[in-house]
Amino acid sequence: MFFSNSLENQLQRWNETIRNQPKNPNAYIRRGMVNFQLAKIDESIQDFDIAEQLDGSIKPYLWQRGLSYYYAERFAEGAEQFEIDLTVNAQDVEETVWRYLCIARSLGVEEARNSLLTVKNDPRRIMQRVYDLYAGDCTPDDVLTVGLEGIKGNFYSHLYLGLYYEVENNADLAQDYIVKAVDNYKIDDYMWNLAQVHKTLRGWF
């Protein structure tokens, strides 16, 4: 309950900021992130859209909107957002993996794997291994082994295995991994909030 109330308080603060600064794109991005964490997906997209309208140069940095598109099942728009993001952040495995997930949900896993964009220098070992999994070059156990290096590694290994199994239509394993990511490996990170939203939207308790 505290978690939800804290987000509601944040939402009220950003509402107030926007009333005072209606042309501040960052305020809309921050409110959009809070709306997403409250599982208000459509509202979050509206906020990110307003931010882009106020400052068109931020479009390649709106990775948060790509995540919201995924949960709104607007997969083509999500894939496009992540592809644009990669033009300014070419070494981030998460951008190309989320593009993969959007394509897999709309066009199938084979198409997603065939169009997986190359990322070589993400400094996070766990994300390098996640990339290998999505590329078909390692096993889920390989991902879990690297993830054992710490709570963040455990979180990311479980989250991205859960997402991997969801697009493979293995709902039981998807649920198992994402619920564990949320319940066992809580970290102060937007992606942990995403995992919580995923669990909420799927009704996994």
Side-chain angles (χ1 to χ4, degrees):
M1 211 38 157
F2 171 79
F3 175 78
S4 180
N5 287 340
S6 170
L7 288 171
E8 291 290 356
N9 289 340
Q10 289 180 49
L11 184 62
Q12 293 310 314
R13 286 202 299 273
W14 287 113
N15 286 341
E16 183 67 24
T17 300
I18 286 167
R19 275 194 292 274
N20 295 327
Q21 303 174 41
K23 303 289 189 185
N24 180 348
N26 184 58
Y28 288 97
I29 292 172
R30 296 300 297 271
R31 188 175 72 177
M33 293 172 72
V34 175
N35 272 321
F36 176 81
Q37 291 171 74
L38 288 165
K40 297 177 178 179
I41 306 302
D42 291 340
E43 291 91 335
S44 73
I45 293 171
Q46 289 167 13
D47 279 336
F48 299 138
D49 287 349
I50 293 169
E52 185 190 354
Q53 289 161 18
L54 290 168
D55 179 3
S57 69
I58 64 176
K59 184 172 184 177
Y61 302 95
L62 281 174
W63 53 270
Q64 302 96 329
R65 183 169 61 183
L67 299 172
S68 292
Y69 279 147
Y70 182 83
Y71 290 99
E73 300 193 356
R74 293 166 61 175
F75 300 121
E77 290 162 288
E80 180 190 21
Q81 177 70 60
F82 292 118
E83 195 162 340
I84 292 167
D85 296 348
L86 283 160
T87 65
V88 295
N89 195 11
Q91 309 312 324
D92 191 329
V93 164
E94 289 182 276
E95 306 277 18
T96 195
V97 161
W98 278 98
R99 178 177 173 273
Y100 172 108
L101 292 165
C102 287
I103 293 169
R105 289 289 301 274
S106 56
L107 301 173
V109 168
E110 187 175 356
E111 178 64 30
R113 185 161 290 146
N114 289 339
S115 62
L116 185 66
L117 298 174
T118 302
V119 177
K120 292 182 178 174
N121 298 313
D122 193 310
R124 298 167 295 173
R125 284 194 67 219
I126 185 58
M127 293 315 301
Q128 293 173 21
R129 188 54 78 203
V130 165
Y131 181 88
D132 292 341
L133 174 70
Y134 282 69
D137 295 332
C138 78
T139 68
D141 281 346
D142 294 329
V143 175
L144 289 171
T145 298
V146 172
L148 291 172
E149 292 175 0
I151 188 167
K152 268 198 164 182
N154 270 308
F155 169 75
Y156 279 104
S157 64
H158 282 75
L159 170 65
Y160 282 105
L161 279 170
L163 292 163
Y164 174 84
Y165 281 119
E166 182 165 85
V167 299
E168 297 275 349
N169 295 316
N170 189 330
D172 289 343
L173 281 176
Q175 179 174 349
D176 184 42
Y177 280 110
I178 287 179
V179 169
K180 282 181 181 172
V182 174
D183 293 351
N184 297 352
Y185 305 111
K186 184 172 182 178
I187 58 174
D188 183 17
D189 190 284
Y190 193 69
M191 297 309 292
W192 183 86
N193 297 118
L194 175 140
Q196 173 83 5
V197 168
H198 193 114
K199 183 180 161 188
T200 300
L201 292 176
R202 302 294 186 258
W204 295 343
F205 298 106

